[in-house]
Amino acid sequence: MTTVQEKQKIQQAFKERMDEDELLNCMRCGFCLPSCPTYIESGFKESHSPRGRIALMKAVVDGVIEPDEEVERTLDLCLGCRACEPVCPSGVNYGHLLEEARDIINQNKKHSLPARIVRKTVFEGLFPHPDRMRMVTNLLGIYQRSGLQKAVHTTGVMKLFPESMATMERVLPQVPKLKEMKERPTSLSSIGEVRKKVAFFSGCLMDTMFLETNKATTKLLQLAGCDIVIPETQTCCGALHGHSGEKDAAKGLAKRNIEAFEANGVDYIITNAGGCGAFLVDYDHLLKDDPDWQDRALRFKNKIKDISSILVELEFHKKPLTVPPQRITYQDSCHLRNVQRTFVEPRLLLQSVEGADYVEMKQADHCCGSAGIYNIVESDMSMKILDHKMENVEDTRATTIITSNPGCLLQMKLGIEREDLSDKMRAIHIVDFLLEAVD
């Protein structure tokens, strides 16, 4: 329960920190409504739409309403997919408004003790520290390899957990051993003629739980003619912090990453996770009020490029690429499409693979319901969105669903498991699929 004093502090902070020009940019035209998953799944509830949430933010700024639990709830229910931004005729930066509002609320209210412990553990104790991420991931690997996971399934212990969590546990990838996670190269040479020098943003979850996908990414870059630098001092991108009202922590991580990459003299900084890439290209906005970092953040931003974009630039799609006959479809990463505006390149690559019958999915640009940890903290809404997504997947009659973000990948695997389609369909990251086509 938010106290009267907390509401007053939140309201004052809204007046001081919210960008009123950006709030006024919204013309209330409603172009965003068909693109908003929570608006659709809530039965067209106006307060769960982008323009409804902007109206609530403006009302708090103007003192028309209090920043009560209902306001906080509607902001929390937003996926942050930013599908409203490309269709907005006024170009409203909704994602920036949402993150600022969440940060204001988080910084000016007192969380329960369990919530404070969880937030401190996750945001301060885990994600900013690569060594700790590797240790925690290694515990998962021990659970998988020791036979404990099989025993848990046999005894039915997972039935005590919510259905979505129990299913998610079954679709987690087989994680590498600790030694493999630690023995990561800091540079790799091109295979053949050098065409570009790039740095690779390895991420936190990507470089632990999805290490094989990172390896596939660097292999493709080498084959495309890239010398690769992998800075050891890079850290978590800060997306989870920024989306969860921990903006100061996100700024700290941004500065660490800028420092890690800026001295390498590379043409591009390559990402393979849509969510990370979208937050990295927003570093200039994140640090806009810090004159010592503004220009550095902008230079960093201008070098960010998704793996699919550089592969197309280097004409990788013109190489011989072949897979066994299969029907494939593609699920967009919301942030890769809506923030980085990268959606043609993945499709061009996939359509160039011989043996792959590419079928465009209906509403492939709509969110799958993953949204970071949204499918854990807002499971009911996430599963409603996923159920509709799987209807569209099944309509394609594809045997392979391809994604470009780890959260989307796990969500699609979750959907396949929920629909009992594991013997007919698989989900795979685009770089893993392309490496199959090369091999």
Side-chain angles (χ1 to χ4, degrees), residues 246-318:
E246 298 284 345
K247 203 169 183 179
D248 286 343
K251 289 179 180 179
L253 294 170
K255 291 174 182 178
R256 284 172 59 184
N257 280 322
I258 292 169
E259 285 182 331
F261 283 88
E262 64 186 353
N264 292 306
V266 296
D267 299 305
Y268 303 120
I269 299 168
I270 305 302
T271 66
N272 62 359
C276 295
F279 202 74
L280 295 173
V281 299
D282 258 354
Y283 274 6
D284 62 324
H285 173 77
L286 184 66
L287 299 171
K288 64 183 174 62
D289 296 324
D290 192 330
D292 294 333
W293 288 89
Q294 258 185 332
D295 290 342
R296 296 168 74 177
L298 185 59
R299 285 194 296 270
F300 177 90
K301 167 190 178 165
N302 289 336
K303 288 190 175 182
I304 299 295
K305 189 179 284 284
D306 182 68
I307 178 65
S308 62
S309 294
I310 191 171
L311 290 179
V312 169
E313 180 179 327
L314 297 177
E315 299 187 324
F316 192 82
H317 57 294
K318 295 183 180 179

Side-chain angles (χ1 to χ4, degrees), residues 216-258:
T217 304
T218 53
K219 183 67 178 294
L220 292 179
L221 288 171
Q222 289 177 286
L223 291 168
C226 295
D227 278 348
I228 309 166
V229 178
I230 309 172
E232 287 185 274
T233 54
Q234 64 177 296
T235 186
C236 171
C237 68
L240 184 62
H241 301 74
H243 301 329
S244 304
E246 298 284 345
K247 203 169 183 179
D248 286 343
K251 289 179 180 179
L253 294 170
K255 291 174 182 178
R256 284 172 59 184
N257 280 322
I258 292 169

